[in-house]
Amino acid sequence: MHLLDSLREALADLDARGLTRRRRTAGTPCGAHMSVDGREIVGFASNDYLGLAAHPKLTAALAEGAKRYGAGSGGSHLLGGHSHAHAQLEDDLAAFCGGFVDAPRALSFSTGYMANLATLTTLAGRDTTLFSDALNHASLIDGARLSRADVQIYPHGDTAALAAMLEASDSSAKLIVTDGVFSMDGDIAPLGRLLALAERHGAWLVVDDAHGFGVLGPQGRGVLAEHALRSPHLVYVCTLGKAAGVAGAAIVAHETVIEWLVQRARPYIFTTAAPPAVAHAVSASLELIASDEGDTRRAHLATLIERTRAMLRRTRWQPVDSQTAIQPLVIGDNEATLALAARFDAEGLWVPAIRPPTVPAGTSRLRISLSAAHSLDDLARLEAALCRIDEGGQA
Ligand SMILES: *Cc1c(COP(=O)(O)O)cnc(C)c1O
């Protein structure tokens, strides 16, 4: 049949370019040591930066939430699905990471992907010029497209180029959007300079902190708290399936922004609310993140980051400019990246290959993702493998 044939051809074409993706199936909870496709491995692939995904307090909170609220929410937030657990989580989030604005309020979502679609489609429209960093996450790119705004891409982190683009724009509505921590590079956006530009040009500054929330800033309050930024121009998106270890996301902003989103954001209005038990578990996660245990986990993660960078300095790959848990080895070629990932795999280490369209063509890489769940022994295994593979040459 012709329809299937054309898909088969397209799949073969992907394969010929080293772009086929394959899912691996975990048989154990997310953690440093996992059974994946039936093999015991040490995982450096997850975004579970604090090692909370399988924390007994969170699994207990999820179970307790299910007992109290049931399995499903039963409806959208505006049609019966909004529970006490969601309301509590939104209050907790506004208090935890809303310090960048007066009268903060939070709006919870099932996923970060949807929160980003909601933010951009609701704050930008046909009359808006939307300025987007060249390395922004796919969900921001898709939100920008769906908003129908005039999208201008500025070179990664280049605030001088952005300033010139803002100067040249006569648009009456402007929005700047950036990852807080860039998901495949680990570097942090120049947020102070971006905010100064946003204020000067009357623009919104939307910061997607998927990789900073829970990890950066005092008590893990995120990248805005880390830089002590404050402004009504700021709109903050945090995701709750990475460091927070559960699932979901939230937009945090001045209460007026959130009220506008409740009224108008289609990715908020036209979808079933996440199970209340999930919101209940995230509230428990926020307590852990802010606790002494959270501090201990962040301190351990910082040690792992520092040691990993030191070990990369002793190899031909060299660390990139990342102070976060994301430590890429940029290789370039797709096949060479896959071959290198296979070497780590043979050592019982899962260090995933990242290829286009997740990263720009010609910048394929291995992405080492560190977690407080890793022990120093796990890191020693990574180091031993790195050294053997480095000496082995190729790639
Ligand atoms: C993971 C990620 C998202 C999407 O969040 P989900 O909750 O997984 O849908 C958004 N932005 C960035 C930068 C991410 O890394």
Side-chain angles (χ1 to χ4, degrees):
M1 185 180 120
H2 173 70
L3 287 174
L4 291 180
D5 285 341
S6 62
L7 284 185
R8 286 188 192 108
E9 264 172 45
L11 285 167
D13 175 59
L14 279 183
D15 208 38
R17 292 187 289 143
L19 290 175
T20 299
R21 294 162 183 246
R22 193 170 64 81
R23 297 177 304 171
R24 297 186 182 201
T25 308
T28 48
C30 177
H33 297 252
M34 298 173 67
S35 162
V36 174
D37 291 342
R39 290 170 56 217
E40 302 304 310
I41 54 101
V42 183
F44 291 93
S46 88
N47 300 309
D48 180 26
Y49 300 122
L50 296 180
L52 297 181
H55 195 292
K57 281 193 178 150
L58 299 195
T59 53
L62 192 61
E64 187 205 273
K67 267 199 205 122
R68 205 188 292 182
Y69 300 103
S73 70
S76 68
H77 282 279
L78 296 176
L79 282 177
H82 190 65
S83 83
H84 273 295
H86 297 111
Q88 183 66 51
L89 173 61
E90 291 177 349
D91 288 350
D92 293 348
L93 279 164
F96 182 64
C97 57
F100 60 88
V101 72
D102 294 331
R105 193 178 151 195
L107 193 65
S108 71
F109 286 79
S110 312
T111 73
Y113 187 94
M114 285 169 65
N116 280 338
L117 293 190
T119 308
L120 296 184
T121 58
T122 312
L123 293 180
R126 288 178 197 279
D127 302 335
T128 307
T129 303
L130 191 156
F131 301 87
S132 179
D133 188 287
L135 294 187
N136 275 345
H137 189 261
S139 56
L140 295 173
I141 296 171
D142 293 354
R145 287 178 180 155
L146 197 57
S147 76
R148 302 182 201 188
D150 168 35
V151 179
Q152 299 194 14
I153 313 284
Y154 62 90
H156 177 51
D158 188 342
T159 48
L162 173 61
M165 291 161 79
L166 284 160
E167 249 3 293
S169 165
D170 56 9
S171 174
S172 59
K174 300 189 182 81
L175 183 151
I176 304 166
V177 61
T178 185
D179 280 21
V181 175
F182 286 87
S183 54
M184 298 299 139
D185 292 79
D187 58 326
I188 297 176
L191 292 170
R193 298 202 299 276
L194 290 174
L195 181 56
L197 286 173
E199 293 194 319
R200 175 142 164 233
H201 293 276
W204 296 109
L205 176 58
V206 175
V207 178
D208 171 0
D209 201 24
H211 302 275
F213 180 80
V215 182
L216 299 178
Q219 291 179 298
R221 290 171 197 267
V223 76
L224 298 181
E226 164 128 325
H227 291 78
L229 298 177
R230 247 188 100 75
S231 169
H233 290 253
L234 285 165
V235 176
Y236 181 75
V237 178
C238 57
T239 69
L240 306 168
K242 290 172 180 161
V246 187
I251 302 171
V252 185
H254 189 279
E255 61 186 5
T256 307
V257 175
I258 298 301
E259 185 56 26
W260 179 242
L261 285 159
V262 171
Q263 301 307 321
R264 303 302 300 216
R266 296 168 66 91
Y268 183 74
I269 298 168
F270 298 106
T271 189
T272 300
V278 170
H280 188 69
V282 175
S283 282
S285 175
L286 293 186
E287 272 183 39
L288 264 176
I289 288 172
S291 71
D292 289 350
E293 179 178 341
D295 283 338
T296 306
R297 286 172 182 265
R298 279 181 291 276
H300 179 56
L301 181 61
T303 304
L304 297 172
I305 293 168
E306 202 182 303
R307 292 202 182 189
T308 301
R309 292 179 61 72
M311 92 173 68
L312 285 175
R313 263 183 225 111
R314 294 193 290 272
T315 69
R316 87 185 99 134
W317 293 293
Q318 296 298 307
V320 302
D321 180 23
S322 162
Q323 306 303 320
T324 65
I326 301 162
Q327 294 291 332
L329 270 56
V330 179
I331 309 299
D333 179 68
N334 300 337
E335 298 288 0
T337 307
L338 285 174
L340 197 56
R343 305 274 305 269
F344 282 98
D345 187 62
E347 302 258 358
L349 304 176
W350 185 5
V351 184
I354 310 288
R355 292 159 288 159
T358 309
V359 293
T363 71
S364 286
R365 66 200 63 190
L366 296 191
R367 179 180 185 264
I368 299 172
S369 177
L370 298 166
S371 163
H374 290 126
S375 66
L376 294 180
D377 277 353
D378 297 328
L379 214 58
R381 279 192 60 185
L382 177 64
E383 175 160 30
L386 266 171
C387 291
R388 268 196 295 275
I389 295 168
D390 191 20
E391 281 158 20
Q394 285 304 303

